[in-house]
Amino acid sequence: MILPGPDTNTIQLDIETLQENFEKLGTIFNSLREILFTVNLDTGIIENVNNSISTLGFTKQEWEGVSFKDWPLFKKKKYFSLLNHARHSSFEASSQQIEILKKDLSASIPFEFSTVIFTFKGKNHLLCVLRDISEREKLLHELEQSLKTERQLNELRSSFISTASHQFRTPLTIIQSGVEIMDLYLEDIPEEKRIPFQKQFKRIEGEVQNLQDLMNDILLLGRSNAKRTPFHPELTDIVGFCDDIIKNKFNSRFPENRKINMLVTGENQPVLLDIKLFSHALENILNNAYKYSKKGLIEMGIDFASDQVLITIKDQGIGIPKKDLVHLFQPFFRAGNTSEIEGTGLGLSIVKEYIDEHNGQISVSSILNRGTTVTISLPLSTKIKTYAG
């Protein structure tokens, strides 16, 4: 009995398909921008190289069929970094940045050299990929130069701000002293004639204080932007810390109906705080709560969660227009409904810088004419070991 054999037409079709796929893979292999070559690890012979080897000024024929073992010493020295990386290759892909001279020695090109060992028909081969990273290195260099220039500009700006702030303080101090001296002379003047002078002196003193506050805020902002503000965190009982600020700096100055009520939830845990920076941030927020509200208590909550502590400060003031919320932390920005209230627009931008230093976050929510809530989240001590040194 004669069994039917394979269909000749089917065999021919399979051969043509294989040939087409082989040619397709060959086209892809030689069209890649990366330099690819394979090495037989038993013989050390380079078996396949794609056309991109021309990037280095070589032809395929100059590499294919050549054994690494037969390279002369000068060539091995020339490609030492390439050979050294290939020698440590494994079945897991690994990469290293190397530089290779072109054949005519006209230029040295940076490459990312990747290798991986693979097995084909029982023999181990090494697949090598050289990816030209000249453009990436150029962009990195330009970025480094830009960052260097930006740092220099920040230093110059900080130096100017510091100098200007100190220069302003001298005339402001003289003005303040002059007003105080003139106020002393008013003691010999009848009271009805003294009142207009005293009103004017009070206005001058108020404006001097506003200018001093502005100079202090600008100086703080300049230091913060230039990353010159010292940051010295230490484990702190944040509940006791906040309680001291509330009692000594706020509740002692305001009547019962304007005090700060503090509510603590969760288990009290220590937090890494820079006392000076966080004091400034917290007092600024509390001052704003009083400045932009004329009635009602200020509510302050401290809520301990598993990995963070949330501090919320809520007032019953004028609120913030919705369109202004996204700009609150920009230097010199002031909400549209605060034009009649004294301020520099620097406070919250400085506060954000200081909260960022603590690896924390700050957000603001508000309803116009109903109040504002500021929320600060800080990581608990176990989550910021980098600061613990």
Side-chain angles (χ1 to χ4, degrees):
M1 181 176 65
I2 301 175
L3 295 174
D7 186 355
T8 304
N9 292 333
T10 301
I11 294 174
Q12 181 63 32
L13 183 61
D14 289 342
I15 292 173
E16 290 176 357
T17 300
L18 287 172
Q19 182 66 28
E20 182 181 342
N21 288 338
F22 180 78
E23 291 176 358
K24 187 184 298 182
L25 289 172
T27 300
I28 294 172
F29 180 74
N30 285 304
S31 299
L32 292 172
R33 293 180 60 187
E34 292 83 0
I35 299 173
L36 277 78
F37 60 95
T38 61
V39 181
N40 185 318
L41 290 180
D42 292 334
T43 63
I45 291 176
I46 301 172
E47 294 181 332
N48 300 284
V49 181
N50 70 348
N51 290 334
S52 293
I53 195 67
S54 60
T55 303
L56 292 170
F58 294 98
T59 63
K60 290 172 53 127
Q61 291 73 22
E62 289 178 283
W63 279 62
E64 289 182 339
V66 178
S67 172
F68 278 125
K69 300 174 183 177
D70 297 333
W71 279 8
L73 182 60
F74 79 90
K75 191 174 183 181
K76 288 180 179 178
K77 288 182 177 179
K78 180 179 176 182
Y79 294 106
F80 174 77
S81 57
L82 183 149
L83 291 170
N84 189 51
H85 179 75
R87 185 167 63 89
H88 293 91
S89 298
S90 68
F91 288 92
E92 293 184 3
S94 61
S95 299
Q96 177 183 331
Q97 184 173 328
I98 64 174
E99 289 197 1
I100 301 179
L101 280 168
K102 297 184 72 172
K103 180 181 178 182
D104 59 6
L105 308 182
S106 62
S108 179
I109 302 176
F111 286 95
E112 182 181 50
F113 183 44
S114 303
T115 58
V116 66
I117 294 175
F118 68 96
T119 301
F120 181 69
K121 290 188 177 180
K123 295 181 179 180
N124 289 332
H125 294 74
L126 183 68
L127 173 63
C128 303
V129 181
L130 286 165
R131 181 177 292 106
D132 188 341
I133 55 173
S134 301
E135 190 63 29
R136 187 181 79 183
E137 291 298 298
K138 179 183 176 183
L139 291 173
L140 284 174
H141 177 72
E142 290 175 353
L143 179 60
E144 287 175 359
Q145 290 300 113
S146 297
L147 290 173
K148 183 179 179 181
T149 301
E150 184 179 357
R151 282 194 296 267
Q152 291 172 341
L153 288 173
N154 278 338
E155 288 293 328
L156 286 172
R157 179 177 62 179
S158 179
S159 177
F160 170 77
I161 289 173
S162 179
T163 301
S165 296
H166 287 298
Q167 291 296 324
F168 268 106
R169 282 197 179 96
T170 301
L172 289 174
T173 302
I174 293 172
I175 293 170
Q176 180 71 32
S177 300
V179 169
E180 291 173 357
I181 291 171
M182 287 188 288
D183 195 33
L184 289 174
Y185 281 100
L186 291 179
E187 294 179 0
D188 299 328
I189 299 177
E191 185 175 352
E192 65 274 7
K193 293 183 179 180
R194 191 190 312 161
I195 292 175
F197 288 100
Q198 288 177 328
K199 286 183 178 179
Q200 191 62 26
F201 289 165
K202 189 163 182 144
R203 286 185 59 191
I204 293 172
E205 288 175 347
E207 293 302 322
V208 167
Q209 185 60 52
N210 288 336
L211 279 173
Q212 287 176 338
D213 291 343
L214 176 60
M215 289 300 103
N216 288 334
D217 283 348
I218 291 175
L219 187 59
L220 284 171
L221 183 65
R223 285 177 178 170
S224 182
N225 285 343
K227 298 300 179 186
R228 290 173 53 190
T229 303
F231 182 61
H232 304 297
E234 58 187 69
L235 281 175
T236 305
D237 173 10
I238 194 168
V239 173
F241 171 81
C242 292
D243 190 52
D244 286 342
I245 289 180
I246 290 171
K247 286 180 178 177
N248 298 326
K249 298 193 176 183
F250 293 94
N251 282 356
S252 59
R253 293 164 41 204
F254 291 93
E256 286 296 326
N257 62 344
R258 292 289 284 152
K259 290 186 182 297
I260 299 172
N261 279 345
M262 186 173 75
L263 176 64
V264 180
T265 56
E267 183 182 352
N268 187 1
Q269 298 183 56
V271 181
L272 278 173
L273 293 181
D274 181 302
I275 302 299
K276 185 176 180 181
L277 298 190
F278 197 74
S279 292
H280 180 92
L282 187 61
E283 288 175 35
N284 185 285
I285 296 170
L286 291 171
N287 278 323
N288 281 348
Y290 278 105
K291 183 190 295 186
Y292 298 112
S293 66
K294 299 302 180 185
K295 62 180 181 179
L297 298 171
I298 308 297
E299 302 291 341
M300 180 172 177
I302 302 178
D303 179 25
F304 291 92
S306 59
D307 60 350
Q308 65 178 349
V309 57
L310 293 177
I311 303 170
T312 56
I313 299 166
K314 183 177 181 180
D315 64 55
Q316 302 174 42
I318 62 174
I320 303 166
K322 187 175 181 180
K323 64 181 180 63
D324 292 339
L325 285 172
V326 294
H327 304 294
L328 283 182
F329 300 111
Q330 295 176 6
F332 300 105
F333 178 83
R334 303 200 69 210
N337 60 338
T338 62
S339 58
E340 301 299 320
I341 303 173
E342 293 286 348
T344 64
L346 287 173
L348 282 180
S349 64
I350 296 171
V351 167
K352 188 177 187 310
E353 292 283 348
Y354 289 173
I355 298 301
D356 288 345
E357 286 285 351
H358 287 81
N359 200 26
Q361 294 181 330
I362 181 171
S363 61
V364 178
S365 60
S366 185
I367 300 176
L368 201 59
N369 298 318
R370 293 181 61 182
T372 298
T373 300
V374 178
T375 303
I376 299 171
S377 66
L378 297 172
L380 293 175
S381 58
T382 55
K383 300 297 178 182
I384 43 178
K385 293 179 181 289
T386 52
Y387 288 140

